[in-house]
Amino acid sequence: MIAYDTAIRGAFFDIAQVADSADDIARHARYLPDGVLFIAGGHIQALLPWQEGEQYLDPHKGYSDQSGKLLLPGFIDAHVHYPQTEMIGAFGEQLLEWLTTYTFPVESQFSDEAYAKEIAEFFLGQLLSHGTTTALVFCTLHPESVNALFTEALRLNMRLIAGKVMMDRHTPDYLTETAEESYQQTRALIQRWHKQGRLGYAITPRFAPTSTPELLSAVRQLRQAFPDTWLQTHLSENPNEVAWVKDLWPEHERYLDVYHHYGLTGERSLFAHGIHLEDREWQCLHETGSAVAFCPTSNLFLGSGLFRLPACWQHRVRMGMGTDVGAGTTFSMLRTLGEAYKVGQLQSYRLRASEAFYHATLGGAHALRLDEKIGNFQPGKEADFVVIDPAVTPLQQLRISRCKDIYEQLFVLMTLGDERNIRETWVNGERVWQASASSIG
Ligand code: GUN
Ligand code: ZN
């Protein structure tokens, strides 16, 4: 007997456990071409081969038949800015000019809670329609932007982590606060939202150049007062940014030393980018149990540089994939993995499909310290997953029909796939998004 509310038949792929190398991932990859997933109370009860599981089906309940479809754990976007949804594809600038020309004016609109609500709802709809069930999200300086996002994520019962951007210098007046205001507002938001349902709060200093020492001291105090919150910021994305940090913080030798000095490194700390890191910085990330987010479409779009995945493995630093919308150019984790492969090619690194999908699922969960709760189909985990049709266009149908095994299929999916391949998205055991029957995706 298996007690369940919902059962789903289909093909399943996941990685059974956290791994410490690409070969280790390949060893723990699991493919079940015809399986049945049992869900109860939002959690996974069992995943069995159809022949074994069929006997446990209750004829009164029926099951969802997704034969021919591929079920994957829900994607985890480890770095994204929801207020930047409307400015994807802003022309011509690299990081620092891109921020002042495009980003700050767009973010200024989020003091209006009605506006924030409209974009927050659109954004969460985009995550779900692209198969992303968990994200670590930057809001704006305004508490209204956080309230709008969390209100909707709570309604959807998503495992979502987010926070108010903190910044008290080198920003336009309309987006500048004092360290004290930032501390008080962040504190109140943590008390209101952290651990509500499946939500988590991330303390969110934007990056070192927009922080005074007082602001980073306030961050340290918040970390001490609320040790189970997350922390997110940006690190070593662009050469001009790195040089600016050296100018602003001459007492610290390297970029990461600034954050480390104020206690920002550690478990549940996630640093976006980390492209231009020195070995000592990688080492510090490892020693403190910090994590990085690899955002290939953003790094290419802004011309920031190439993330060094081999260095990340070598230094045993936790890593998740990020879209980094709106510097990133897509919400699709499939397209993001395709770009990650190309970043690897430019450095003679072969990103295998098993490794790529690990980073987008269990690896991301590990980076966020959520691997006990999400990231694969292990019994007891929260039932967040995505139903994929690997071949929805004539080209995909031709190419997929020539694949010899699941690994080739997955690789083609990350090369040719996008949101059109996402048929259903499930959160906490409920289907929260479904492609319309007539649409391709
Ligand atoms: N560094 C500081 N702020 C940002 C941002 O909004 N996007 C990116 N990509 N990098 C940043
Ligand atoms: Zn970012």
Side-chain angles (χ1 to χ4, degrees):
M1 259 288 289
I2 296 177
Y4 69 92
D5 339 299
T6 307
I8 307 180
R9 180 182 187 178
F12 294 82
F13 179 85
D14 73 352
I15 310 295
Q17 63 185 65
V18 167
D20 57 17
S21 68
D23 286 341
D24 200 25
I25 293 168
R27 275 192 290 279
H28 295 299
R30 299 188 288 201
Y31 178 54
L32 202 50
D34 187 12
V36 54
L37 180 72
F38 294 96
I39 300 165
H43 289 74
I44 290 165
Q45 292 295 103
L47 173 59
L48 297 171
W50 174 254
Q51 293 209 329
E52 234 176 273
E54 189 183 2
Q55 61 182 311
Y56 300 113
L57 288 170
D58 176 343
H60 301 294
K61 287 188 185 160
Y63 65 92
S64 165
D65 190 358
Q66 301 292 341
S67 300
K69 306 287 191 300
L70 177 65
L71 283 82
L72 299 177
F75 299 132
I76 297 173
D77 188 338
H79 182 72
V80 60
H81 300 251
Y82 97 81
Q84 297 175 13
T85 302
E86 67 190 71
M87 55 165 286
I88 294 179
F91 174 75
E93 304 295 352
Q94 295 209 348
L95 176 64
L96 299 175
E97 296 73 24
W98 176 86
L99 282 172
T100 49
T101 311
Y102 298 113
T103 314
F104 293 149
V106 165
E107 292 196 2
S108 72
Q109 304 168 100
F110 287 73
S111 56
D112 175 350
E113 188 150 349
Y115 189 78
K117 179 175 184 308
E118 181 191 330
I119 302 294
E121 290 176 4
F122 182 84
F123 166 81
L124 291 173
Q126 290 292 295
L127 289 191
L128 295 173
S129 65
H130 288 71
T132 296
T133 50
T134 282
L136 176 61
V137 187
F138 270 60
C139 301
T140 65
L141 181 87
H142 316 95
E144 293 82 357
S145 72
V146 181
N147 293 335
L149 184 70
F150 275 149
T151 299
E152 179 65 1
L154 188 63
R155 192 185 69 74
L156 289 162
N157 215 350
M158 288 178 78
R159 189 162 277 293
L160 191 97
I161 308 166
K164 169 199 132 57
V165 166
M166 306 171 76
M167 43 189 185
D168 69 340
R169 66 165 161 171
H170 300 135
T171 46
D173 286 349
Y174 59 81
L175 275 186
T176 307
E177 56 187 348
T178 66
E180 177 62 19
E181 282 163 355
S182 197
Y183 173 86
Q184 294 298 347
Q185 291 182 354
T186 300
R187 189 182 172 86
L189 288 166
I190 293 171
Q191 286 167 336
R192 175 166 177 195
W193 291 110
H194 186 52
K195 296 198 206 165
Q196 282 287 325
R198 302 173 75 204
L199 306 177
Y201 195 89
I203 301 167
T204 307
R206 181 168 217 121
F207 66 158
T210 51
S211 308
T212 62
E214 292 71 36
L215 188 93
L216 295 187
S217 300
V219 171
R220 171 165 47 202
Q221 276 183 43
L222 288 163
R223 290 270 277 172
Q224 285 165 353
F226 303 100
D228 65 355
T229 53
W230 282 261
L231 179 133
Q232 58 179 344
T233 189
H234 297 91
L235 169 69
S236 207
E237 176 178 5
N238 168 291
N240 293 340
E241 171 210 14
V242 176
W244 195 17
V245 171
K246 281 202 162 59
D247 276 358
L248 290 171
W249 305 82
E251 64 278 34
H252 298 291
E253 212 171 315
R254 300 170 200 88
Y255 194 157
L256 186 60
D257 294 341
V258 177
Y259 294 145
H260 187 59
H261 176 81
Y262 289 94
L264 274 59
T265 48
E267 293 182 13
R268 281 180 299 282
S269 288
L270 202 128
F271 297 94
H273 309 302
I275 293 172
H276 307 285
L277 296 176
E278 297 173 22
D279 277 2
R280 289 282 293 277
E281 293 172 294
W282 280 112
Q283 216 172 320
C284 175
L285 290 168
H286 167 69
E287 283 163 9
T288 55
S290 307
V292 292
F294 173 19
C295 310
T297 75
S298 164
N299 299 162
L300 296 170
F301 183 75
L302 290 183
S304 301
L306 303 176
F307 179 78
R308 291 161 53 215
L309 190 47
C312 188
W313 276 123
Q314 185 196 327
H315 292 277
R316 289 178 289 148
V317 172
R318 292 167 190 245
M319 193 277 274
M321 298 303 304
T323 61
D324 196 23
V325 161
T329 51
T330 180
F331 282 106
S332 169
M333 196 47 74
L334 297 174
R335 289 185 59 189
T336 301
L337 296 179
E339 296 307 291
Y341 175 80
K342 295 171 195 168
V343 168
Q345 279 286 47
L346 287 167
Q347 302 170 87
S348 303
Y349 183 80
R350 286 188 205 187
L351 178 64
R352 283 176 261 174
S354 54
E355 180 185 351
F357 280 88
Y358 171 81
H359 292 314
T361 57
L362 188 62
H366 184 59
L368 293 173
R369 308 254 169 189
L370 287 172
D371 47 301
E372 298 287 312
K373 296 187 189 302
I374 53 174
N376 62 13
F377 292 109
Q378 209 68 13
K381 294 241 176 138
E382 296 164 356
D384 289 354
F385 57 90
V386 55
V387 179
I388 288 182
D389 185 339
V392 296
T393 67
L395 175 61
Q396 289 178 355
Q397 281 153 8
L398 176 72
R399 182 66 185 88
I400 289 281
S401 73
R402 302 297 192 268
C403 287
K404 64 181 184 311
D405 61 20
I406 181 64
Y407 296 102
E408 196 177 344
Q409 272 190 36
L410 287 168
F411 187 68
V412 168
L413 194 57
M414 65 191 244
T415 302
L416 295 180
D418 55 33
E419 62 271 32
R420 294 171 298 178
N421 298 90
I422 309 298
R423 305 313 299 178
E424 296 184 0
T425 303
W426 290 64
V427 163
N428 212 43
E430 304 282 339
R431 189 175 61 202
V432 290
W433 186 84
Q434 182 176 25
S436 60
S438 60
S439 72
I440 298 178

